[in-house]
Amino acid sequence: MTSGVTERDRAKADRQASILHEAARLFAERGFSGVSLEDLGAAVGVSGPALYRHFANKQALLGAILIGVSERLLAGGRRVIDDGGTPPAQLEAIIAFHVDFALSDADVIRVQDRDLASLADDDRHTVRRLQREYVEVWIGILSALHPDRTVAELRVRAHACFGLINSTPHSVRALRSQPDDGAVRGILESMALAALTA
């Protein structure tokens, strides 16, 4: 029985993934407005206009990057809940998941921070909705740990934790290039856990 996925489909998916990866890198370095279609094409070895076979325009490419990462975060958070476990174990798991995201997708975080306003309105609303749903996953875990706290306070805690985790990869690039990448991960995970259980 075949999956129905052809070699051509796989090649197209690989090319799209390569475009998204290089676009995130370039947008992180130069900003959305500082990158041309020609720059993007050159980064993946095609002409600028060839990108139109994959994305309608540069703004659609930005949307694919930020919607894609928001969907991955929400799916990962929901997996933590679906896997079960005690609230403390779930908190450790979701922190580890988010730290892994921040260390592997620092470019996407920079693009989100700087270029969210450049999204088309529909894409921006989609990103915001997905992000709110992701925050609600965290609040569900935190409310089990802190039943006496209000939802508003737990939301502040979750956002503060995101700020801690998401900003750090920018400032520790030199450390991350060292063989002991696990040191950075351990620092972030322990600090986030301490902050959220305080």
Side-chain angles (χ1 to χ4, degrees):
M1 186 172 188
T2 62
S3 66
V5 178
T6 66
E7 195 63 40
R8 181 184 174 125
D9 292 334
R10 272 193 293 275
K12 184 175 181 180
D14 289 346
R15 175 54 58 95
Q16 285 182 333
S18 176
I19 293 168
L20 289 169
H21 175 78
E22 289 302 316
R25 181 183 64 79
L26 290 172
F27 291 161
E29 285 176 5
R30 306 180 201 170
F32 176 73
S33 61
V35 178
S36 69
L37 276 177
E38 288 70 29
D39 295 331
L40 292 168
V44 294
V46 300
S47 68
L51 294 175
Y52 289 122
R53 287 188 220 131
H54 301 278
F55 299 96
N57 52 42
K58 193 172 75 162
Q59 194 177 42
L61 180 52
L62 178 64
I65 292 168
L66 295 183
I67 290 173
V69 74
S70 300
E71 289 172 340
R72 289 198 315 273
L73 283 170
L74 180 56
R78 286 176 172 165
R79 265 194 310 277
V80 168
I81 300 300
D82 291 344
D83 287 346
T86 63
Q90 288 183 337
L91 182 62
E92 289 184 20
I94 204 164
I95 288 171
F97 164 72
H98 198 94
V99 167
D100 186 59
F101 153 72
L103 291 176
S104 61
D105 284 303
D107 285 342
V108 177
I109 293 171
R110 292 174 70 193
V111 173
Q112 157 88 23
D113 289 347
R114 184 170 48 201
D115 294 313
L116 182 67
S118 297
L119 283 174
D121 287 344
D122 286 349
D123 285 348
R124 188 165 51 254
H125 291 314
T126 298
V127 168
R128 289 298 194 202
R129 176 183 56 77
L130 291 165
Q131 290 175 344
R132 282 193 302 272
E133 291 178 25
Y134 181 56
V135 172
E136 292 305 313
V137 172
W138 282 71
I139 289 172
I141 295 170
L142 291 172
S143 65
L145 289 165
H146 303 287
D148 55 326
R149 305 293 168 87
T150 66
V151 169
E153 182 180 341
L154 298 177
R155 185 171 286 110
V156 170
R157 284 176 178 250
H159 280 287
C161 184
F162 297 158
L164 165 70
I165 296 172
N166 290 352
S167 66
T168 307
H170 310 313
S171 60
V172 295
R173 285 185 183 271
L175 267 177
R176 285 177 50 230
S177 66
Q178 301 302 315
D180 188 15
D181 185 46
V184 175
R185 183 180 306 278
I187 291 167
L188 290 175
E189 289 181 3
S190 62
M191 287 184 71
L193 186 62
L196 290 173
T197 54

